[in-house]
Amino acid sequence: MRFLLRAGLAVLSLAVLIVAYLLWNNNRTVAAPDQARLNTSLENGIRWLSAHRTNILSTNNPMVWRMVQQAGDATDDARLQTLFANYAERYLENRSGNIWRPLFYPKSWVPIRFEDIAGFPYYNWHFLYASSCDRDLAKVPEIAAQNDPAFCDRYPLRPACVTHQMMGLRLLQRSECGNQAELSNSIEVLQRRIHTQLTWDPRVVDVYMQRVLMLVESGARGLVKPVWLQQLVEAQQADGGWASFMPLVPLGENRFLGITRLPRIMTPKSDFHMTAQGVLLFALLTNPPQAQ
């Protein structure tokens, strides 16, 4: 019994030390990555997207492809623009009834019934409403609630709730939908919450990238600590992409004990969702005039 107790205390102590180290490492004072390093990360990310063109075109995730479109607009990079054009040809062109068209083409409008999208994740309801400023969707309580900056308080176990809500509010700004002064105030509230999340959640995984991205995209780059950018630069894989996995302890054969949402043993592998966000983030960091 004493052995088990001591073993348990040892494991707990080790866990506390690891968490303390990660928090320190995530908030230490460092120099921000210089422009050349930002450019390199962007270029490598674009090359990853181009190299995986066939695979990623089979993924119809509208918000992720919207990020590719935004990155292409910010950088005027022909590779990104061609990649988005390929996506649009496959999923948007000659599909006038595609409910996601307003996300990509702000002046378009497609009728949407809530009954037809009720099975979607809750944040997609908000994205669709915000993209189109659809009056009927605006009356749906589950959608209207997401305009309230306190919405995510009731969902503490949804790590991306605040960033998803921020995306919806930014789309409302783009659509010039609703009270713009209230929207600006709500976005400022969420910016501060994201800053707090980044301070206390040191896991360099998908939601970490998304938090930094939304601060920069919403005009709050000043809230981004240089170390957070450095963490993302260092997390970029050798192939140019980013993996939603934070390796901590090498176990041999390119396998690590690390963290996704929870501790896991796996091999880091770049993925489209995180890499598209990385490309947009570094596109905005290297092209600030077009980003605002």
Side-chain angles (χ1 to χ4, degrees):
M1 183 63 70
R2 288 183 179 179
F3 172 78
L4 292 176
L5 179 60
R6 289 176 180 174
L9 289 173
V11 171
L12 179 60
S13 298
L14 179 60
V16 170
L17 287 173
I18 291 173
V19 171
Y21 169 77
L22 291 176
L23 286 171
W24 169 81
N25 188 60
N26 187 57
N27 293 283
R28 58 196 165 92
T29 300
V30 301
D34 61 23
Q35 197 63 39
R37 190 65 190 87
L38 297 177
N39 290 338
T40 297
S41 286
L42 173 61
E43 175 62 21
N44 290 341
I46 294 174
R47 287 181 178 176
W48 187 93
L49 293 177
S50 299
H52 294 80
R53 173 186 173 279
T54 300
N55 287 337
I56 65 178
L57 279 171
S58 66
T59 303
N60 184 17
N61 184 322
M63 285 301 292
V64 175
W65 279 102
R66 167 62 183 152
M67 292 176 185
V68 175
Q69 182 189 38
Q70 285 179 280
D73 291 343
T75 60
D76 201 30
D77 188 281
R79 293 165 296 178
L80 292 173
Q81 293 174 340
T82 298
L83 193 56
F84 175 72
N86 294 155
Y87 168 80
E89 181 180 12
R90 180 175 297 194
Y91 295 102
L92 299 173
E93 303 303 334
N94 301 317
R95 296 189 183 187
S96 58
N98 187 327
I99 60 176
W100 290 101
R101 286 184 64 84
L103 176 66
F104 303 101
Y105 309 123
K107 300 301 181 181
S108 62
W109 183 81
V110 178
I112 307 171
R113 297 191 318 151
F114 182 68
E115 293 80 3
D116 295 333
I117 64 172
F120 289 10
Y122 70 95
Y123 46 85
N124 279 345
W125 305 338
H126 200 223
F127 297 159
L128 287 165
Y129 156 62
S131 300
S132 62
C133 199
D134 186 281
R135 294 180 180 179
D136 291 330
L137 292 182
K139 299 174 184 176
V140 178
E142 293 87 349
I143 293 177
Q146 296 183 58
N147 294 329
D148 182 353
F151 170 75
C152 292
D153 290 351
R154 69 193 79 169
Y155 303 111
L157 298 182
R158 293 177 178 175
C161 183
V162 177
T163 48
H164 285 154
Q165 185 182 16
M166 171 81 85
M167 291 177 190
L169 297 184
R170 290 287 289 152
L171 287 170
L172 285 170
Q173 284 187 320
R174 187 191 71 167
S175 301
E176 299 181 346
C177 186
N179 185 307
Q180 295 301 300
E182 289 182 1
L183 277 175
S184 294
N185 289 336
S186 295
I187 286 172
E188 288 181 8
V189 170
L190 297 189
Q191 288 170 338
R192 291 192 293 271
R193 291 187 179 180
I194 291 172
H195 179 271
T196 299
Q197 289 176 328
L198 280 163
T199 299
W200 293 102
D201 185 356
R203 299 169 303 147
V204 185
V205 294
D206 186 272
V207 72
Y208 190 99
M209 175 79 80
Q210 195 170 104
R211 288 167 178 163
V212 177
L213 169 60
M214 291 315 300
L215 286 181
V216 173
E217 194 277 339
S218 65
R221 181 175 176 177
L223 291 179
V224 177
K225 295 181 181 182
V227 69
W228 298 340
L229 297 179
Q230 186 63 33
Q231 292 264 65
L232 290 171
V233 166
E234 293 174 356
Q236 192 168 23
Q237 301 293 300
D239 63 5
W242 280 270
S244 189
F245 174 68
M246 184 180 187
L248 296 174
V249 180
L251 301 177
E253 298 182 355
N254 201 29
R255 291 174 62 79
F256 294 81
L257 171 63
I259 303 172
T260 51
R261 291 189 64 176
L262 297 170
R264 291 186 60 184
I265 295 175
M266 61 184 294
T267 298
K269 184 178 180 181
S270 300
D271 65 81
F272 179 39
H273 192 276
M274 189 160 173
T275 301
Q277 293 180 106
V279 167
L280 176 56
L281 170 61
F282 285 89
L284 298 181
L285 289 171
T286 55
N287 299 270
Q290 294 88 340
Q292 306 300 327

